[in-house]
């Protein structure tokens, strides 16, 4: 008889967290079926391990065999991990997947994770994330000055560059804080997940996204554990992770479209807005400046940024004459 | 099964009187090492870190500080006795005042440790000084200190909103009526029990030297400063100046300002208040850390899977399901804390409820009401431990256990009312 | 016996210093939160570093407060039987409990807490949020630190129990934080 394996997976999300949590469940199911029960994945959610942002450390130390999270959460530990989730004004999901699988992205990602005794794989994409809920309309750069917004991470730094005050609010108090104007705006994910927090009841302006055009989650695997697996099980894992990621992208599209239809119907107060051009330009410049600084700080960061920018340029030129051209055509005839 | 045995052992060990926090931690340690090995405890720093980064819990030391300063400057006593005097010859006036102050605190925070301890500091000494029955006094404080769970804004409703995918605003609105009814019933209970047994909550003796009119005027004047403080705390939340957590700091600083105004301020007073706050805060958080070790061992030894199996055997018919689900949550609430229940148990029950066509908003309110009770149910009700931690030595654990019983029954009564007559509370059982 | 008294008093001093640090952190935290609310509301200014400082201070309050509260016997007990027991019996409960519950529990937290903090140090971990605090290892190191003091406070509980058994000291009724209210 062949050896049986069980891998313990820690995910950053709570149990039954929609879309994200479905991804790990689907992955576990696929693995189990494809391996005919030789490989089992046991999923522990945040309520069990209590360390949503400890997934990196726990997989590194081998307390868990693998994890499901997002690479940019580790920015405070390893700055270069930032680039493998999504970048402001960066690639969209299709372009970014092409970069990962065919444009050298996977190799760069392993280079960053290798020293930490881990392998990282794409773990599902949310598509373009919405730009956030605002209680007041943003008409000019002026309106952004001193605006208090819950916006974490790198996008928060970009916003800070153009005058926004990024603010920390415990997730449990976000709703109350927005409702009572303690903060002016909140960035979350997209319609399907935002709807659950009820922001549509208290904020009228829902801005389109620019800061996370293709948020990619990640599977982390402890390297020693990976090397212990026989080659066929490794391959099964690879295929299952890739399928689960693809599935999450389309699942996100499906759920967001459904949720958006609900918001449109039940909350006519909600208006979709886009930042005016001068704001986009300012943020675009700020983003560029921050990227230049990051590239100066670390050689590997420079390598990743260069790879992403040049790949995006090439890929976008084609997107322009294919996807964009098609959507433009549609916009004209409808 | 290990998890279940561990509960039994912990219960016996608690009776030996060793500090609760370390009894939880120590028992967890033995079972954990025995079942999973030492390395299980490598998770402990992560769990402690998650308490450290839970900024909502910051309200605990800050509200305790406010309570201690109000108590040390005797301003709290003034508030309660004046309110008690306003009720004139009415027995139970102090208890009713306590419930009202508790309701105000509840509307400002949903953190039980903070409000139970603050209420314990503020009103227990006053009630005992006026010869209140220890059981009635402690029961009233635990019950009103726990109101924050159902009266919005409430952490538990936010967590349930997330787990069940319901808009938080709807949940907050739906919880208002049940909260008001509960507060009303507490007050009615005090009125009834003091009519039956006047000696449990004697009326405050009238001051014969002054007229009733002057008495009322003096009382109103005395209420103003501490009440102003509460208004500042609540007002800062409602106007959005501060988050509920931050409002607790305004309360603490405000209490110090009051002390200055009333010439009660000294650096020694502030330092002593900080020292008391540190002691009491440490007591609360040691319990949280001990309990997190305990629930860690429980779930990593398969306790959560076992629970899941049992829950899936619940009946698939609406009334049977609701009643049994409520019983399960009530019983589990004796042993594990509400966050665990919300995250482990509720997601298992939710799809069943949904399949039965049950209105999820109604279901969520039932769960929240039920979980509030879990703080009060002996032997593991945390509210009881917290109050015991700040009560004078002559108040025994058993006094608190007995004192809380009528209030638990009242909560179950309200729960039953919401189940049977959802329309009284502006809800419906099904869609 | 003399060296036990010396040891007992030395350990007690360590816990008191913890309490002293926690008190300062407590006052600073209240001021910190108040200041943050004030600057946000009045000057519309937010500093993530100051916001993070809030939970750093709050962590120090309870992590260093726990050993202090052990020394002052402020941790809540279920007193159904305990209060009616003799001094000797209480001393036995505390001696055994301290040695089999407090000290091993503190040891495990300290042992694993050390590598937890060390990891953060080696990676140079800092906040991931804009303008957040660097050197996350410092606050993570408070966990093993607190565990060390929890262990010394546990030993202190044991030495005190020995003194009670020898008739040199007494448990004062129950001077929990109860003395407060
Ligand atoms: Na987001
Ligand atoms: Na509340």
């Amino acid at each position: 008889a062949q050896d049986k394996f069980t891998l313990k997976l820690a995910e950053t999300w709570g149990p039954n967290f929609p879309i994200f949590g479905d991804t790990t469940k689907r992955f576990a199911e696929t693995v189990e079926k494809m391996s005919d029960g030789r490989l089992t994945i046991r999923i522990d959610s945040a309520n069990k391990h209590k360390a949503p942002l400890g997934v990196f450390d726990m997989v590194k130390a081998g307390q868990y065999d693998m994890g499901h999270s997002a690479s940019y959460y580790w920015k405070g530990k390893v700055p270069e991990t930032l680039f493998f989730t999504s970048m402001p004004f960066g690639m969209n999901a299709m372009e970014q997947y092409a970069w990962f699988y065919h444009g050298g992205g996977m190799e760069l990602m392993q280079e960053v994770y290798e020293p930490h005794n881990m392998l990282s794989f794409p773990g599902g994409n949310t598509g373009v994330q919405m730009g956030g809920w605002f209680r007041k309309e943003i008409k000019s750069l002026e309106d952004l000055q001193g605006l208090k917004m819950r916006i974490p991470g790198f996008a928060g730094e970009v916003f800070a560059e153009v005058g926004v005050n990024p603010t920390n609010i415990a997730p449990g108090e976000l709703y109350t804080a927005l409702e009572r104007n303690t903060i002016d705006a909140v960035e979350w994910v997209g319609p399907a997940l935002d709807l659950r927090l009820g922001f549509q009841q208290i904020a009228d302006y829902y801005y389109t996204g620019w800061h996370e055009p293709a948020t990619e989650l990640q599977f982390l695997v402890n390297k020693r554990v990976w090397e212990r697996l026989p080659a066929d099980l490794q391959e099964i894992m690879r295929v299952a992770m890739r399928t689960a990621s693809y599935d999450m992208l389309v699942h996100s599209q499906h759920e967001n479209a459904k949720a958006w239809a609900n918001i449109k119907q039940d909350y006519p107060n909600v208006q979709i807005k886009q930042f005016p051009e001068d704001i986009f330009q300012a943020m675009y410049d700020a983003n560029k400046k921050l990227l230049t600084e990051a590239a100066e700080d670390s050689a590997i960061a420079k390598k990743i940024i260069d790879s992403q920018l040049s790949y995006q340029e090439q890929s976008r030129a084609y997107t322009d004459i294919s996807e964009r051209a098609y959507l433009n055509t549609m916009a004209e005839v409808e | 099964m290990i998890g279940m045995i561990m509960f039994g052992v912990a219960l016996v060990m608690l009776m030996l009187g060793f500090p609760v926090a370390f009894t939880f931690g120590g028992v967890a340690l033995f079972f954990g090492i025995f079942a999973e090995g030492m390395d299980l405890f490598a998770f402990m720093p992560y769990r402690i870190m998650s308490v450290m980064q839970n900024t909502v819990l910051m309200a605990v030391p800050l509200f305790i500080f406010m309570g201690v300063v109000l108590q040390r400057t005797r301003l709290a006593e003034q508030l309660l006795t004046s309110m008690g005097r306003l009720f004139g010859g009415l027995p139970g006036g102090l208890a009713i005042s306590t419930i009202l102050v508790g309701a105000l605190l509840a509307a400002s925070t949903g953190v039980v440790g903070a409000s139970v301890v603050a209420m314990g500091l503020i009103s227990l000494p006053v009630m005992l000084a006026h010869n209140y029955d220890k059981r009635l006094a402690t029961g009233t404080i635990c019950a009103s200190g726990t109101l924050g769970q159902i009266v919005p804004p409430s952490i538990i409703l936010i967590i349930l909103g997330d787990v069940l995918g319901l808009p938080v605003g709807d949940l907050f609105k739906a919880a208002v009526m049940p909260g008001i009814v509960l507060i009303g019933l507490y007050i009615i209970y005090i009125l009834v029990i003091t009519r039956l047994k006047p000696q449990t909550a004697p009326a405050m003796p009238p001051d014969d030297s002054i007229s009733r009119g002057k008495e009322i005027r003096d009382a109103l004047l005395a209420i103003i400063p501490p009440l102003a403080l509460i208004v500042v705390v609540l007002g800062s939340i409602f106007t959005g100046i501060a988050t509920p957590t931050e409002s607790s700091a305004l309360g603490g600083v405000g209490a110090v300002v009051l002390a200055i105004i009333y010439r009660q301020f000294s650096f020694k007073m502030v330092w002593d208040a900080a020292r008391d706050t540190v002691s009491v805060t440490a007591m609360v958080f040691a319990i949280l850390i001990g309990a997190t070790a305990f629930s860690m061992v429980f779930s990593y030894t398969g306790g959560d899977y076992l629970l899941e199996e049992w829950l899936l055997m619940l009946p698939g018919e609406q009334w049977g399901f609701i009643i049994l689900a409520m019983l399960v949550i009530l019983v589990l609430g004796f042993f594990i804390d509400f966050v665990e229940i919300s995250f482990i148990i509720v997601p298992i029950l939710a799809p069943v409820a949904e399949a039965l066509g049950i209105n999820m908003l109604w279901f969520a309110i039932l769960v929240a009401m039920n979980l509030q009770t879990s703080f009060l149910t002996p032997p593991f009700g945390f509210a009881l431990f917290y109050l015991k931690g700040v009560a004078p030595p002559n108040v025994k654990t058993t006094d608190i256990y007995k004192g809380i019983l009528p209030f638990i029954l009242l909560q179950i009564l309200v729960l039953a009312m919401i189940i049977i007559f959802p329309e009284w509370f502006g809800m419906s059982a099904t869609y | 016996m003399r060296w036990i008294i010396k040891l007992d008093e030395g350990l007690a001093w360590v816990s008191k210093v913890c309490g002293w640090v926690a008190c300062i952190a407590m006052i600073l935290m209240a001021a910190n939160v108040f200041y943050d609310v004030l600057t946000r509301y009045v000057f519309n200014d937010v500093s993530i570093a100051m916001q993070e400082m809030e939970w750093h201070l709050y962590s120090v309050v309870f992590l260093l407060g726990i050993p202090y509260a052990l020394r002052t016997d402020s941790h809540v007990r279920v007193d159904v039987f305990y209060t009616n027991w003799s001094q000797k019996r209480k001393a036995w409960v505390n001696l055994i409990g301290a040695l089999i519950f407090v000290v091993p529990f503190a040891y495990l937290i300290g042992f694993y807490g050390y590598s937890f903090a060390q990891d953060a140090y080696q990676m140079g971990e800092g906040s991931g949020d804009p303008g957040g605090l660097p050197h996350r290892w410092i606050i993570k190191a408070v966990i093993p630190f607190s565990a060390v003091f929890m262990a010394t406070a546990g030993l202190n509980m044991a030495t005190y129990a020995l003194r009670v058994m020898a008739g040199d000291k007494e448990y004062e009724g129950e001077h929990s934080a109860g003395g407060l209210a």
Side-chain angles (χ1 to χ4, degrees):
Chain A
Q2 283 167 302
D3 286 344
K4 286 194 172 187
F5 296 86
T6 301
L7 300 190
K8 289 176 292 174
L9 180 150
E11 60 185 1
T12 292
W13 343 110
N16 305 306
F17 191 70
I19 308 177
F20 294 30
D22 296 329
T23 308
T24 48
K25 279 184 202 147
R26 235 180 257 129
F27 161 72
E29 248 168 59
T30 313
V31 165
E32 184 144 7
K33 280 185 190 152
M34 285 177 76
S35 68
D36 196 20
R38 280 169 59 218
L39 180 54
T40 312
I41 309 287
R42 200 196 78 196
I43 302 167
D44 284 354
S45 308
N47 70 300
K48 184 153 176 173
H49 56 69
K50 298 277 188 218
L53 299 184
V55 171
F56 182 99
D57 302 287
M58 293 192 297
V59 175
K60 182 181 178 185
Q63 281 163 280
Y64 275 95
D65 303 310
M66 59 184 302
H68 190 242
S69 191
S71 190
Y72 63 4
Y73 290 139
W74 324 129
K75 170 178 173 263
K77 302 176 197 286
V78 184
E80 296 84 3
T81 52
L82 166 72
F83 306 104
F84 302 107
T85 304
S86 188
M87 295 304 289
F89 303 106
M91 294 177 271
N92 72 15
M94 204 187 329
E95 295 161 345
Q96 188 170 277
Y97 271 132
W99 176 70
F100 270 124
Y101 292 123
H102 302 282
M106 283 294 275
E107 291 75 9
L108 286 168
M109 182 151 71
Q110 298 322 337
E111 203 177 322
V112 170
Y113 280 92
E114 189 101 65
H116 300 282
N117 192 28
M118 286 184 285
L119 302 174
S120 172
F121 300 86
N125 203 291
T126 63
V128 180
Q129 292 206 0
M130 294 299 285
W133 296 91
F134 289 71
R135 300 203 72 182
K136 282 176 297 200
E137 196 181 344
I138 304 299
K139 293 186 178 135
S140 67
L141 261 177
E142 216 108 287
D143 294 339
L144 279 185
Q145 301 314 304
L147 188 100
K148 286 161 297 199
M149 178 171 189
R150 179 266 174 205
I151 169 109
F154 190 71
E157 287 180 43
V158 176
F159 260 127
E161 289 278 332
V162 299
V164 167
N165 279 333
T167 308
N168 273 346
I169 298 280
E173 293 187 331
L174 260 185
Y175 177 88
T176 322
L178 184 65
E179 184 192 23
R180 304 198 170 143
N181 294 320
T182 314
I183 51 174
D184 309 301
V186 168
E187 182 271 354
W188 202 243
V189 182
L193 295 170
D194 296 9
L195 190 63
R196 295 154 51 89
L197 288 178
F199 299 133
Q200 69 281 1
Q201 296 168 323
I202 48 178
D204 290 342
Y205 303 101
Y206 199 17
Y207 274 79
T208 59
W210 57 276
H211 64 300
E212 292 189 30
T215 310
E216 186 66 39
L217 306 184
Q218 76 176 158
F219 284 108
L220 276 172
V221 187
N222 181 292
K223 207 167 148 227
R224 278 191 311 268
V225 172
W226 178 260
E227 281 161 0
R228 254 199 351 251
L229 291 176
D232 63 328
L233 291 185
Q234 285 182 349
E235 194 54 28
I236 286 176
M237 288 264 290
R238 261 194 216 102
V239 171
M241 288 190 279
R242 197 153 160 174
T243 331
S245 310
Y246 170 74
D247 240 7
M248 179 172 146
L249 177 64
V250 291
H251 190 198
S252 299
Q253 170 73 16
H254 175 73
E255 292 294 337
N256 281 329
K258 248 180 20 187
W260 174 236
N262 286 343
I263 295 178
K264 266 202 301 196
Q265 191 190 334
D266 299 340
Y267 299 93
N269 57 309
V270 174
Q271 303 171 38
I272 290 292
K273 291 280 172 195
Q274 215 169 30
F275 290 121
E277 216 183 305
D278 62 326
I279 291 188
F280 274 137
Q281 196 58 52
M283 293 198 292
Y284 186 83
D285 296 340
N287 183 53
K288 225 171 193 169
K289 182 184 144 217
L290 289 173
L291 283 182
T292 315
E293 283 169 13
E296 278 162 10
D297 285 348
S298 126
I300 171 135
K302 180 169 170 18
K303 209 159 106 185
I304 301 167
I305 292 169
D306 288 347
S307 165
Q308 285 187 332
L309 288 181
S310 69
Y311 195 86
Q312 180 173 340
E313 197 184 334
Q314 187 186 45
S315 193
R316 184 64 48 84
Y318 178 65
T319 307
D320 282 342
I321 63 159
S322 53
E323 304 289 322
R324 191 205 299 272
Y326 170 68
L327 293 176
N328 286 347
T329 312
M330 285 302 291
E332 271 167 37
V333 295
E334 273 184 330
Chain B
M1 213 52 221
I2 290 172
M4 311 293 157
I5 301 170
M6 191 172 68
F7 276 123
V9 173
L11 186 57
V12 174
M13 296 305 254
L14 277 181
M15 291 301 148
L16 292 179
F18 195 69
V20 172
F22 294 95
T23 307
F24 276 136
V27 171
L29 185 107
F30 276 92
F31 279 84
I33 290 181
F34 165 74
E36 291 278 304
M38 231 174 77
D39 279 343
L40 178 62
F41 287 83
F43 289 120
M44 276 309 286
Y46 295 97
R47 296 175 96 85
I48 295 174
M49 191 73 185
S50 86
V51 176
M52 291 160 65
Q53 289 188 283
N54 185 346
T55 48
V56 171
L57 288 176
M58 235 161 35
V60 174
L62 291 169
F63 268 126
I64 292 173
F65 183 69
M66 178 182 89
V68 174
V69 172
L70 283 179
Q71 189 225 3
R72 283 195 169 266
T73 53
R74 309 180 69 86
L75 287 166
E77 192 182 333
Q78 212 177 20
L79 169 72
L80 286 169
T81 48
S82 310
M83 278 175 85
R85 274 191 210 290
L86 282 183
F87 290 107
L90 190 67
L94 273 177
I96 294 173
S97 311
T98 298
I99 294 170
L100 293 176
V101 174
L104 289 174
L105 264 183
S108 71
T109 175
V111 184
V112 169
S115 30
V116 168
V117 171
M119 294 295 296
L121 292 168
I122 292 173
S123 65
L124 187 56
V126 184
M127 283 200 271
L128 293 181
H130 287 85
N131 298 319
Y132 266 55
D133 176 60
K134 281 183 281 189
R135 294 173 193 163
L136 183 69
T138 52
T140 307
I141 290 171
C142 283
S144 32
T146 315
L147 278 171
Q149 287 294 305
I150 192 84
V151 175
S154 129
I155 305 291
I156 197 158
L157 290 173
I158 290 172
I159 292 181
L160 283 174
D162 183 41
V163 171
L164 294 172
L166 295 167
V168 180
D170 292 357
L171 278 172
F172 280 7
K173 264 181 231 145
V176 172
M177 264 311 279
I180 292 176
V181 170
L182 196 57
I183 295 167
L185 277 181
Y186 286 172
I187 294 175
I188 292 173
Y189 168 74
I190 299 289
L191 292 174
V192 170
I193 194 76
T194 48
R195 178 64 57 88
L196 296 176
K197 297 186 200 162
Q199 73 283 5
T200 55
M204 315 233 340
D207 193 341
D208 288 331
S209 61
I210 49 174
S211 68
R212 178 72 182 141
K214 180 160 167 35
E215 195 183 42
I216 290 176
R217 208 164 46 240
D218 287 352
L220 282 175
L221 274 177
I223 286 180
I224 291 170
L227 208 58
L229 182 62
I230 294 176
V231 170
V232 165
V233 170
L234 280 182
S236 69
I237 301 174
F238 284 109
T239 55
I241 294 174
T243 64
T245 307
E246 292 168 335
S247 74
S248 56
L250 298 188
V253 174
V256 174
V257 172
L258 277 185
I260 296 172
I261 296 174
Y262 283 80
R263 297 169 192 283
Q264 304 265 357
F265 175 86
S266 69
F267 286 106
K268 186 170 179 310
M269 186 277 288
V270 174
W271 181 256
D272 290 348
R275 212 187 43 214
D276 292 349
T277 306
V278 166
S279 286
V280 179
T281 304
M283 180 271 290
V284 171
F285 281 89
I287 291 180
L288 286 181
I289 291 175
T292 192
F294 199 78
S295 77
M296 174 180 82
V297 173
F298 176 77
S299 69
Y300 279 96
T301 52
D304 50 353
Y305 294 123
L306 197 63
L307 273 182
E308 203 173 318
E309 252 172 59
W310 290 355
L311 288 177
L312 290 172
M313 298 189 307
L314 289 182
E317 162 272 323
Q318 193 175 326
W319 289 110
F321 169 80
I322 284 287
I323 289 168
L324 279 174
M326 287 302 120
L327 275 176
V328 166
I329 293 179
L330 191 69
V331 172
L332 283 176
F334 284 46
F335 305 104
I336 53 183
D337 80 293
F338 76 93
V339 181
E340 302 286 318
I341 295 180
S342 309
F343 278 127
I344 303 174
I345 311 301
V346 174
I348 303 173
L349 298 176
V352 186
E354 212 147 8
L356 292 172
I358 288 169
N359 179 354
M360 292 314 277
L361 191 66
W362 176 67
F363 185 68
I365 297 296
L366 293 184
V367 172
M369 198 70 198
N370 201 331
L371 286 179
Q372 166 171 292
T373 311
S374 75
F375 278 93
L376 301 175
T377 40
F380 295 113
F382 282 2
L384 313 177
F385 291 143
Y386 297 153
L387 181 63
K388 177 71 183 72
V390 293
N394 63 332
V395 174
K396 300 277 170 284
T397 309
T398 39
D399 293 329
I400 302 180
Y401 284 178
K402 285 178 191 153
I404 197 59
L405 270 179
F407 292 93
I408 293 176
L409 292 178
L410 286 176
Q411 295 197 340
I412 295 177
L413 174 68
V414 174
L415 183 64
M417 279 162 63
I418 308 176
I419 293 180
I420 303 169
F421 308 108
E423 61 280 0
W424 290 5
F425 299 86
M427 283 179 277
S428 62
T430 49
Y431 285 108
Chain C
M1 191 60 210
R2 275 190 61 146
W3 66 270
I4 288 191
I5 295 177
K6 272 243 159 71
L7 181 65
D8 183 63
E9 276 156 10
L11 291 171
W13 181 81
V14 172
S15 299
K16 279 181 198 154
V17 172
C18 285
W20 192 78
V21 176
C23 281
I24 293 185
M26 169 63 225
I27 293 171
L28 288 178
M29 174 183 74
N32 188 169
V33 179
F34 183 75
Y35 172 85
D36 286 349
V37 173
L38 200 73
T39 51
R40 190 182 59 223
Y41 185 69
V42 180
F43 306 109
N44 202 27
D45 188 19
V46 184
S47 154
I48 297 255
M50 284 299 279
Q51 278 197 309
E52 290 185 348
M53 189 53 89
E54 292 175 6
W55 67 260
H56 281 58
L57 289 168
Y58 139 80
S59 302
V60 171
V61 172
F62 73 86
L63 284 175
L64 290 184
I66 290 174
Y68 173 70
L70 265 172
R71 166 65 208 164
T72 55
D73 201 4
S74 304
H75 287 289
V76 56
R77 304 167 182 268
V78 173
D79 59 357
V80 178
F81 305 114
Y82 184 82
T83 19
N84 300 322
W85 284 347
S86 66
Q87 289 289 327
K88 209 161 203 157
R89 198 156 195 181
K90 285 180 182 171
W92 274 110
V93 167
N94 288 326
L95 177 68
I96 297 174
L99 295 180
I100 66 169
F101 284 171
V102 180
V103 176
F105 190 59
Y107 169 75
L108 284 184
I109 293 178
F111 178 77
Y112 291 108
Y114 176 75
S115 45
F116 183 68
Q118 193 189 30
D119 233 34
Y121 178 76
Q122 279 165 354
M123 277 192 278
E125 184 176 354
S127 165
D129 283 325
L133 292 173
H135 307 304
R136 183 76 28 114
W137 67 271
I138 298 177
I139 190 65
K140 285 190 171 178
V142 179
I143 297 175
F145 255 99
S146 151
V148 168
F149 296 126
M150 222 192 289
T152 56
L155 288 178
N156 193 195
M157 209 176 178
T159 54
Y160 195 88
L162 290 176
R163 286 177 78 173
V164 172
M165 283 180 195
D168 170 45
K169 282 269 178 185
E170 279 210 343
Y171 293 110
E172 302 162 21
E174 185 199 354
H175 82 98
S176 66
L180 247 177

